PDB file of all heavy atoms in Angstrom:
ATOM      1  N   ASP A  28       0.830  -1.231  -0.006  1.00 94.00           N
ATOM      2  CA  ASP A  28       0.000   0.010   0.008  1.00 94.00           C
ATOM      3  C   ASP A  28       0.841   1.269   0.018  1.00 94.00           C
ATOM      4  O   ASP A  28       0.343   2.383  -0.150  1.00 94.00           O
ATOM      5  CB  ASP A  28      -0.941  -0.015   1.218  1.00 94.00           C
ATOM      6  CG  ASP A  28      -1.811   1.211   1.295  1.00 94.00           C
ATOM      7  OD1 ASP A  28      -2.520   1.489   0.357  1.00 94.00           O
ATOM      8  OD2 ASP A  28      -1.746   1.887   2.344  1.00 94.00           O
ATOM      9  N   VAL A  29       2.187   1.127   0.167  1.00 96.00           N
ATOM     10  CA  VAL A  29       3.057   2.302   0.289  1.00 96.00           C
ATOM     11  C   VAL A  29       3.730   2.538  -1.037  1.00 96.00           C
ATOM     12  O   VAL A  29       4.346   1.690  -1.666  1.00 96.00           O
ATOM     13  CB  VAL A  29       4.151   1.994   1.328  1.00 96.00           C
ATOM     14  CG1 VAL A  29       5.133   3.175   1.395  1.00 96.00           C
ATOM     15  CG2 VAL A  29       3.495   1.814   2.741  1.00 96.00           C
ATOM     16  N   LEU A  30       3.573   3.797  -1.542  1.00 95.00           N
ATOM     17  CA  LEU A  30       4.245   4.250  -2.733  1.00 95.00           C
ATOM     18  C   LEU A  30       5.631   4.809  -2.490  1.00 95.00           C
ATOM     19  O   LEU A  30       6.518   4.696  -3.325  1.00 95.00           O
ATOM     20  CB  LEU A  30       3.398   5.308  -3.464  1.00 95.00           C
ATOM     21  CG  LEU A  30       1.945   4.936  -3.813  1.00 95.00           C
ATOM     22  CD1 LEU A  30       1.264   6.069  -4.498  1.00 95.00           C
ATOM     23  CD2 LEU A  30       1.927   3.715  -4.687  1.00 95.00           C
ATOM     24  N   LEU A  31       5.825   5.399  -1.300  1.00 96.00           N
ATOM     25  CA  LEU A  31       7.109   6.032  -0.996  1.00 96.00           C
ATOM     26  C   LEU A  31       7.351   5.954   0.500  1.00 96.00           C
ATOM     27  O   LEU A  31       6.475   6.364   1.301  1.00 96.00           O
ATOM     28  CB  LEU A  31       7.121   7.518  -1.447  1.00 96.00           C
ATOM     29  CG  LEU A  31       8.288   8.350  -0.961  1.00 96.00           C
ATOM     30  CD1 LEU A  31       9.587   7.923  -1.664  1.00 96.00           C
ATOM     31  CD2 LEU A  31       8.032   9.840  -1.220  1.00 96.00           C
ATOM     32  N   TYR A  32       8.493   5.441   0.899  1.00 97.00           N
ATOM     33  CA  TYR A  32       8.948   5.522   2.261  1.00 97.00           C
ATOM     34  C   TYR A  32       9.971   6.677   2.429  1.00 97.00           C
ATOM     35  O   TYR A  32      10.841   6.856   1.513  1.00 97.00           O
ATOM     36  CB  TYR A  32       9.713   4.231   2.711  1.00 97.00           C
ATOM     37  CG  TYR A  32       8.813   3.042   2.926  1.00 97.00           C
ATOM     38  CD1 TYR A  32       8.827   1.990   2.004  1.00 97.00           C
ATOM     39  CD2 TYR A  32       8.034   2.918   4.058  1.00 97.00           C
ATOM     40  CE1 TYR A  32       8.027   0.891   2.183  1.00 97.00           C
ATOM     41  CE2 TYR A  32       7.250   1.767   4.255  1.00 97.00           C
ATOM     42  CZ  TYR A  32       7.241   0.770   3.288  1.00 97.00           C
ATOM     43  OH  TYR A  32       6.479  -0.345   3.501  1.00 97.00           O
ATOM     44  N   ALA A  33       9.853   7.431   3.446  1.00 97.00           N
ATOM     45  CA  ALA A  33      10.904   8.440   3.756  1.00 97.00           C
ATOM     46  C   ALA A  33      12.214   7.713   3.996  1.00 97.00           C
ATOM     47  O   ALA A  33      12.272   6.787   4.783  1.00 97.00           O
ATOM     48  CB  ALA A  33      10.533   9.286   4.974  1.00 97.00           C
ATOM     49  N   GLY A  34      13.253   8.146   3.315  1.00 98.00           N
ATOM     50  CA  GLY A  34      14.580   7.500   3.448  1.00 98.00           C
ATOM     51  C   GLY A  34      14.770   6.304   2.553  1.00 98.00           C
ATOM     52  O   GLY A  34      15.756   5.574   2.704  1.00 98.00           O
ATOM     53  N   ALA A  35      13.815   6.047   1.617  1.00 98.00           N
ATOM     54  CA  ALA A  35      13.952   4.906   0.686  1.00 98.00           C
ATOM     55  C   ALA A  35      15.083   5.179  -0.330  1.00 98.00           C
ATOM     56  O   ALA A  35      15.410   6.345  -0.635  1.00 98.00           O
ATOM     57  CB  ALA A  35      12.653   4.607   0.000  1.00 98.00           C
ATOM     58  N   GLY A  36      15.637   4.108  -0.889  1.00 98.00           N
ATOM     59  CA  GLY A  36      16.783   4.243  -1.776  1.00 98.00           C
ATOM     60  C   GLY A  36      16.468   4.360  -3.247  1.00 98.00           C
ATOM     61  O   GLY A  36      17.327   4.748  -4.030  1.00 98.00           O
ATOM     62  N   GLY A  37      15.216   4.092  -3.675  1.00 97.00           N
ATOM     63  CA  GLY A  37      14.910   4.097  -5.079  1.00 97.00           C
ATOM     64  C   GLY A  37      14.712   5.454  -5.638  1.00 97.00           C
ATOM     65  O   GLY A  37      14.412   6.437  -4.945  1.00 97.00           O
ATOM     66  N   VAL A  38      14.823   5.577  -6.972  1.00 97.00           N
ATOM     67  CA  VAL A  38      14.494   6.811  -7.647  1.00 97.00           C
ATOM     68  C   VAL A  38      12.959   7.014  -7.537  1.00 97.00           C
ATOM     69  O   VAL A  38      12.241   6.116  -7.878  1.00 97.00           O
ATOM     70  CB  VAL A  38      14.889   6.760  -9.134  1.00 97.00           C
ATOM     71  CG1 VAL A  38      14.413   7.988  -9.900  1.00 97.00           C
ATOM     72  CG2 VAL A  38      16.404   6.613  -9.271  1.00 97.00           C
ATOM     73  N   PRO A  39      12.525   8.118  -6.979  1.00 95.00           N
ATOM     74  CA  PRO A  39      11.085   8.249  -6.735  1.00 95.00           C
ATOM     75  C   PRO A  39      10.250   8.323  -7.977  1.00 95.00           C
ATOM     76  O   PRO A  39      10.583   9.042  -8.941  1.00 95.00           O
ATOM     77  CB  PRO A  39      10.980   9.568  -5.911  1.00 95.00           C
ATOM     78  CG  PRO A  39      12.200  10.311  -6.305  1.00 95.00           C
ATOM     79  CD  PRO A  39      13.266   9.305  -6.548  1.00 95.00           C
ATOM     80  N   ALA A  40       9.130   7.595  -7.992  1.00 93.00           N
ATOM     81  CA  ALA A  40       8.140   7.698  -9.067  1.00 93.00           C
ATOM     82  C   ALA A  40       7.180   8.749  -8.686  1.00 93.00           C
ATOM     83  O   ALA A  40       6.672   8.804  -7.552  1.00 93.00           O
ATOM     84  CB  ALA A  40       7.429   6.359  -9.274  1.00 93.00           C
ATOM     85  N   TYR A  41       6.810   9.649  -9.609  1.00 90.00           N
ATOM     86  CA  TYR A  41       5.957  10.783  -9.293  1.00 90.00           C
ATOM     87  C   TYR A  41       5.021  11.076 -10.474  1.00 90.00           C
ATOM     88  O   TYR A  41       5.440  11.038 -11.630  1.00 90.00           O
ATOM     89  CB  TYR A  41       6.790  11.989  -8.969  1.00 90.00           C
ATOM     90  CG  TYR A  41       5.993  13.225  -8.549  1.00 90.00           C
ATOM     91  CD1 TYR A  41       5.629  13.388  -7.214  1.00 90.00           C
ATOM     92  CD2 TYR A  41       5.534  14.159  -9.490  1.00 90.00           C
ATOM     93  CE1 TYR A  41       4.881  14.467  -6.809  1.00 90.00           C
ATOM     94  CE2 TYR A  41       4.799  15.268  -9.092  1.00 90.00           C
ATOM     95  CZ  TYR A  41       4.498  15.387  -7.736  1.00 90.00           C
ATOM     96  OH  TYR A  41       3.701  16.481  -7.359  1.00 90.00           O
ATOM     97  N   GLY A  42       3.793  11.403 -10.143  1.00 92.00           N
ATOM     98  CA  GLY A  42       2.882  11.952 -11.143  1.00 92.00           C
ATOM     99  C   GLY A  42       1.871  11.079 -11.761  1.00 92.00           C
ATOM    100  O   GLY A  42       0.901  11.556 -12.323  1.00 92.00           O
ATOM    101  N   LYS A  43       2.035   9.753 -11.625  1.00 95.00           N
ATOM    102  CA  LYS A  43       1.055   8.856 -12.196  1.00 95.00           C
ATOM    103  C   LYS A  43       1.123   7.531 -11.490  1.00 95.00           C
ATOM    104  O   LYS A  43       2.108   6.805 -11.576  1.00 95.00           O
ATOM    105  CB  LYS A  43       1.202   8.692 -13.680  1.00 95.00           C
ATOM    106  CG  LYS A  43       0.062   7.946 -14.355  1.00 95.00           C
ATOM    107  CD  LYS A  43       0.199   7.895 -15.900  1.00 95.00           C
ATOM    108  CE  LYS A  43      -1.011   7.228 -16.515  1.00 95.00           C
ATOM    109  NZ  LYS A  43      -0.886   7.032 -17.987  1.00 95.00           N
ATOM    110  N   HIS A  44       0.045   7.151 -10.807  1.00 95.00           N
ATOM    111  CA  HIS A  44      -0.071   5.845 -10.182  1.00 95.00           C
ATOM    112  C   HIS A  44      -1.488   5.275 -10.430  1.00 95.00           C
ATOM    113  O   HIS A  44      -2.071   4.683  -9.515  1.00 95.00           O
ATOM    114  CB  HIS A  44       0.205   5.927  -8.667  1.00 95.00           C
ATOM    115  CG  HIS A  44       1.633   6.154  -8.319  1.00 95.00           C
ATOM    116  ND1 HIS A  44       2.153   7.423  -8.018  1.00 95.00           N
ATOM    117  CD2 HIS A  44       2.692   5.321  -8.233  1.00 95.00           C
ATOM    118  CE1 HIS A  44       3.428   7.302  -7.759  1.00 95.00           C
ATOM    119  NE2 HIS A  44       3.773   6.065  -7.895  1.00 95.00           N
ATOM    120  N   GLU A  45      -1.971   5.442 -11.604  1.00 96.00           N
ATOM    121  CA  GLU A  45      -3.365   5.031 -11.893  1.00 96.00           C
ATOM    122  C   GLU A  45      -3.628   4.913 -13.379  1.00 96.00           C
ATOM    123  O   GLU A  45      -2.813   5.322 -14.187  1.00 96.00           O
ATOM    124  CB  GLU A  45      -4.345   6.076 -11.290  1.00 96.00           C
ATOM    125  CG  GLU A  45      -4.226   7.441 -11.907  1.00 96.00           C
ATOM    126  CD  GLU A  45      -4.979   8.502 -11.135  1.00 96.00           C
ATOM    127  OE1 GLU A  45      -4.563   8.826 -10.028  1.00 96.00           O
ATOM    128  OE2 GLU A  45      -5.981   9.004 -11.670  1.00 96.00           O
ATOM    129  N   LEU A  46      -4.761   4.313 -13.683  1.00 97.00           N
ATOM    130  CA  LEU A  46      -5.301   4.242 -15.032  1.00 97.00           C
ATOM    131  C   LEU A  46      -6.698   4.777 -15.004  1.00 97.00           C
ATOM    132  O   LEU A  46      -7.374   4.819 -13.994  1.00 97.00           O
ATOM    133  CB  LEU A  46      -5.411   2.772 -15.493  1.00 97.00           C
ATOM    134  CG  LEU A  46      -4.091   2.009 -15.731  1.00 97.00           C
ATOM    135  CD1 LEU A  46      -4.386   0.518 -15.783  1.00 97.00           C
ATOM    136  CD2 LEU A  46      -3.420   2.472 -17.028  1.00 97.00           C
ATOM    137  N   VAL A  47      -7.166   5.230 -16.212  1.00 97.00           N
ATOM    138  CA  VAL A  47      -8.601   5.512 -16.348  1.00 97.00           C
ATOM    139  C   VAL A  47      -9.103   4.597 -17.512  1.00 97.00           C
ATOM    140  O   VAL A  47      -8.373   4.347 -18.459  1.00 97.00           O
ATOM    141  CB  VAL A  47      -8.899   6.990 -16.659  1.00 97.00           C
ATOM    142  CG1 VAL A  47      -8.576   7.863 -15.465  1.00 97.00           C
ATOM    143  CG2 VAL A  47      -8.165   7.452 -17.886  1.00 97.00           C
ATOM    144  N   THR A  48     -10.345   4.142 -17.332  1.00 97.00           N
ATOM    145  CA  THR A  48     -10.983   3.334 -18.367  1.00 97.00           C
ATOM    146  C   THR A  48     -12.333   3.913 -18.703  1.00 97.00           C
ATOM    147  O   THR A  48     -13.009   4.529 -17.851  1.00 97.00           O
ATOM    148  CB  THR A  48     -11.180   1.888 -17.860  1.00 97.00           C
ATOM    149  OG1 THR A  48     -11.948   1.892 -16.658  1.00 97.00           O
ATOM    150  CG2 THR A  48      -9.829   1.191 -17.635  1.00 97.00           C
ATOM    151  N   PHE A  49     -12.726   3.755 -19.982  1.00 94.00           N
ATOM    152  CA  PHE A  49     -14.034   4.247 -20.474  1.00 94.00           C
ATOM    153  C   PHE A  49     -14.793   2.995 -20.906  1.00 94.00           C
ATOM    154  O   PHE A  49     -14.384   2.305 -21.835  1.00 94.00           O
ATOM    155  CB  PHE A  49     -13.830   5.205 -21.657  1.00 94.00           C
ATOM    156  CG  PHE A  49     -13.142   6.477 -21.351  1.00 94.00           C
ATOM    157  CD1 PHE A  49     -11.804   6.491 -20.942  1.00 94.00           C
ATOM    158  CD2 PHE A  49     -13.821   7.673 -21.476  1.00 94.00           C
ATOM    159  CE1 PHE A  49     -11.147   7.692 -20.659  1.00 94.00           C
ATOM    160  CE2 PHE A  49     -13.158   8.899 -21.217  1.00 94.00           C
ATOM    161  CZ  PHE A  49     -11.838   8.910 -20.788  1.00 94.00           C
ATOM    162  N   ASP A  50     -15.905   2.688 -20.241  1.00 91.00           N
ATOM    163  CA  ASP A  50     -16.599   1.459 -20.563  1.00 91.00           C
ATOM    164  C   ASP A  50     -17.690   1.669 -21.596  1.00 91.00           C
ATOM    165  O   ASP A  50     -17.930   2.811 -22.030  1.00 91.00           O
ATOM    166  CB  ASP A  50     -17.142   0.782 -19.318  1.00 91.00           C
ATOM    167  CG  ASP A  50     -18.243   1.540 -18.601  1.00 91.00           C
ATOM    168  OD1 ASP A  50     -18.786   2.464 -19.187  1.00 91.00           O
ATOM    169  OD2 ASP A  50     -18.559   1.167 -17.469  1.00 91.00           O
ATOM    170  N   ASP A  51     -18.470   0.593 -21.915  1.00 87.00           N
ATOM    171  CA  ASP A  51     -19.463   0.698 -22.953  1.00 87.00           C
ATOM    172  C   ASP A  51     -20.737   1.390 -22.462  1.00 87.00           C
ATOM    173  O   ASP A  51     -21.665   1.630 -23.247  1.00 87.00           O
ATOM    174  CB  ASP A  51     -19.781  -0.679 -23.518  1.00 87.00           C
ATOM    175  CG  ASP A  51     -20.032  -1.728 -22.412  1.00 87.00           C
ATOM    176  OD1 ASP A  51     -20.247  -1.308 -21.240  1.00 87.00           O
ATOM    177  OD2 ASP A  51     -19.999  -2.921 -22.745  1.00 87.00           O
ATOM    178  N   ALA A  52     -20.769   1.712 -21.196  1.00 90.00           N
ATOM    179  CA  ALA A  52     -21.905   2.532 -20.651  1.00 90.00           C
ATOM    180  C   ALA A  52     -21.490   4.002 -20.519  1.00 90.00           C
ATOM    181  O   ALA A  52     -22.172   4.753 -19.877  1.00 90.00           O
ATOM    182  CB  ALA A  52     -22.361   1.962 -19.302  1.00 90.00           C
TER     183      ALA A  52
END
């Protein structure tokens, strides 16, 4: 459930963590 920990070592991902879908309704 965690996208970012303070003090984490990875290059931070920012700006998009989702999709949008358009259904037939």
Side-chain angles (χ1 to χ4, degrees):
D28 180 55
V29 176
L30 303 180
L31 170 70
Y32 288 106
V38 175
Y41 183 87
K43 190 177 185 183
H44 288 98
E45 63 191 69
L46 291 164
V47 292
T48 56
F49 295 66
D50 67 13
D51 48 15

